[in-house]
Amino acid sequence: MMTSETMPLRGPVMVDIASTTLRNHERQRLLHPLVGAVILFSRNYKSKKQLKMLCDEIHALRSPPLLIAVDHEGGRVQRFREGFSSIPPMRRLGELWDQDHLEACRQAAALGEQIAAELLACSVDFSFTPVLDLDFGQSQVIGDRAFHHDPAVVSMLARALIGGLHAQGMSHCAKHFPGHGFASADSHHALPIDDRSLDQILAGDALPYKSLGGLLRSVMPAHIVYPEVDDRPAGFSKRWIQEILRQQIGFDGLVFSDDLSMEAATVAGSMTDRAKAALKAGCDMVLVCNQPDLADELLANLQWKNRKIFQRRLQALMPRR
């Protein structure tokens, strides 16, 4: 059995846990050398005291410690509620922008600081926020999670929110590259198609990624097919990740896959095939949520070569405490 003294560096797989405390088989899973991070959900939260104990135990399992992440955007997507401040949906900031630009940016920065301070106090390292998708008014799964329909406004508000997170020492993840706002289908349950041209997408949806430039620490691509660009979903596409995001836009941070358990990801085959396809396309870390059996299957079968650049990108997401 591996111990914290013999444990290798973090691996490229993010997994979850079932409840508010760790079970023995989950400890063993988290000790697997391919695991590098843990994502928490509402089922993992009972109180701030319990959450901190859980996170401290996860961190103590390994050295360097696993990254602990959560979806804590605000609005519909806020996993921890009782005892935490209620974060409004980001559309509220976009509506405020239309009335008062300066106040909208001030509030975005304050919300970023609030999110980070409350999570870090419970030993949570990282939040999958902000959403950079544009509000086209036709995606139910995005909806009021988007700041605004104007990419310039999205860039400004996201910059302010990221600044607030960074002020407290927390990193972030911009999602869902190159944009989930136009496609109406929910990738949790179907495979969305966005048939616009590359020029249209780069001139609108992808602009915030370019505008924010070196400020971005991590990015999550969408489980969406853009057939005018590639016949594979963006998260499995070398064209989108390596050619456009890395080379054309110049992003040098960590790329997370979206959850490989989602329906839209099944086009890539088995869980192991999905992870291989995502990593080959250019993702650095793959997420397997709500499917512990498939997570174990992946850990038993995935072949992966550690690279210093991956460790650097992942370390950059660890908080400054």
Side-chain angles (χ1 to χ4, degrees):
M1 179 189 302
M2 291 190 177
T3 67
S4 59
E5 288 76 20
T6 61
M7 181 61 54
L9 295 173
R10 308 176 188 102
V13 181
M14 175 177 276
V15 298
D16 59 6
I17 58 176
S19 188
T20 54
T21 58
L22 280 181
R23 301 170 182 176
N24 286 336
H25 69 276
E26 291 174 330
R27 290 187 186 91
Q28 294 308 308
R29 184 182 297 128
L30 298 187
L31 288 171
H32 195 287
L34 289 177
V35 172
V38 178
I39 184 169
L40 300 179
F41 292 92
S42 297
R43 64 174 180 268
N44 304 124
Y45 179 72
K46 182 170 62 176
S47 68
K48 284 188 169 183
K49 180 179 179 181
Q50 165 271 322
L51 179 61
K52 188 173 191 308
M53 289 177 63
L54 173 63
C55 292
D56 287 345
E57 181 179 2
I58 293 171
H59 282 147
L61 286 173
R62 294 174 62 159
S63 180
L66 297 172
L67 177 77
I68 301 176
V70 66
D71 284 311
H72 208 76
E73 306 167 10
R76 290 173 289 138
V77 186
Q78 179 175 338
R79 304 306 188 201
F80 313 142
R81 295 190 178 271
E82 186 174 352
F84 277 78
S85 299
S86 178
I87 307 299
M90 292 299 102
R91 180 185 282 169
R92 299 272 184 87
L93 293 172
E95 292 169 346
L96 179 58
W97 170 277
D98 292 337
Q99 305 299 318
D100 187 331
H101 296 358
L102 186 61
E103 180 63 15
C105 289
R106 189 194 68 80
Q107 288 196 22
L111 285 173
E113 289 205 47
Q114 186 176 60
I115 290 169
E118 292 187 348
L119 290 176
L120 289 171
C122 294
S123 297
V124 179
D125 301 318
F126 176 85
S127 177
F128 284 106
T129 189
V131 169
L132 298 189
D133 304 314
L134 304 187
D135 186 2
F136 287 94
Q138 58 195 46
S139 172
Q140 292 185 357
V141 71
I142 300 302
D144 62 4
R145 296 166 66 191
F147 287 107
H148 204 271
H149 61 84
D150 185 334
V153 176
V154 171
S155 300
M156 290 296 293
L157 294 176
R159 183 181 297 275
L161 187 135
I162 290 170
L165 292 168
H166 287 183
Q168 291 293 320
M170 179 171 279
S171 196
H172 63 277
C173 180
K175 57 187 185 183
H176 305 81
F177 178 81
H180 200 319
F182 189 82
S184 57
D186 181 349
S187 52
H188 293 84
H189 309 294
L191 178 60
I193 305 294
D194 184 336
D195 58 7
R196 293 175 299 163
S197 69
L198 176 60
D199 287 345
Q200 286 177 293
I201 296 167
L202 293 179
D205 306 62
L207 271 183
Y209 295 89
K210 185 174 181 179
S211 298
L212 293 169
L215 184 65
L216 296 181
R217 301 274 180 84
S218 68
V219 166
M220 176 179 286
H223 283 324
I224 295 178
V225 173
Y226 307 84
E228 294 298 312
V229 183
D230 196 338
D231 60 3
R232 290 160 292 190
F236 301 124
S237 167
K238 286 185 179 180
R239 179 88 192 280
W240 277 115
I241 298 174
Q242 296 185 32
E243 295 181 19
I244 298 173
L245 180 62
R246 293 280 190 211
Q247 297 174 21
Q248 189 169 336
I249 293 178
F251 174 70
D252 188 44
L254 190 137
V255 177
F256 287 96
S257 78
D258 205 344
D259 178 13
L260 296 182
S261 300
M262 291 164 59
E263 180 62 28
T266 62
V267 297
S270 70
M271 182 57 70
T272 302
D273 290 338
R274 297 174 214 174
K276 288 179 178 178
L279 293 168
K280 184 177 180 180
C283 290
D284 297 291
M285 178 165 276
V286 294
L287 279 68
V288 185
C289 304
N290 306 308
Q291 298 280 352
D293 292 345
L294 294 182
D296 288 338
E297 171 194 310
L298 174 61
L299 295 175
N301 292 292
L302 182 65
Q303 300 293 316
W304 177 75
K305 182 179 180 180
N306 178 48
R307 291 178 172 82
K308 288 183 179 179
I309 192 169
F310 166 77
Q311 299 296 337
R312 174 182 64 77
R313 288 168 176 166
L314 184 55
Q315 182 59 36
L317 303 185
M318 298 300 292
R320 303 188 315 275
R321 285 192 170 93

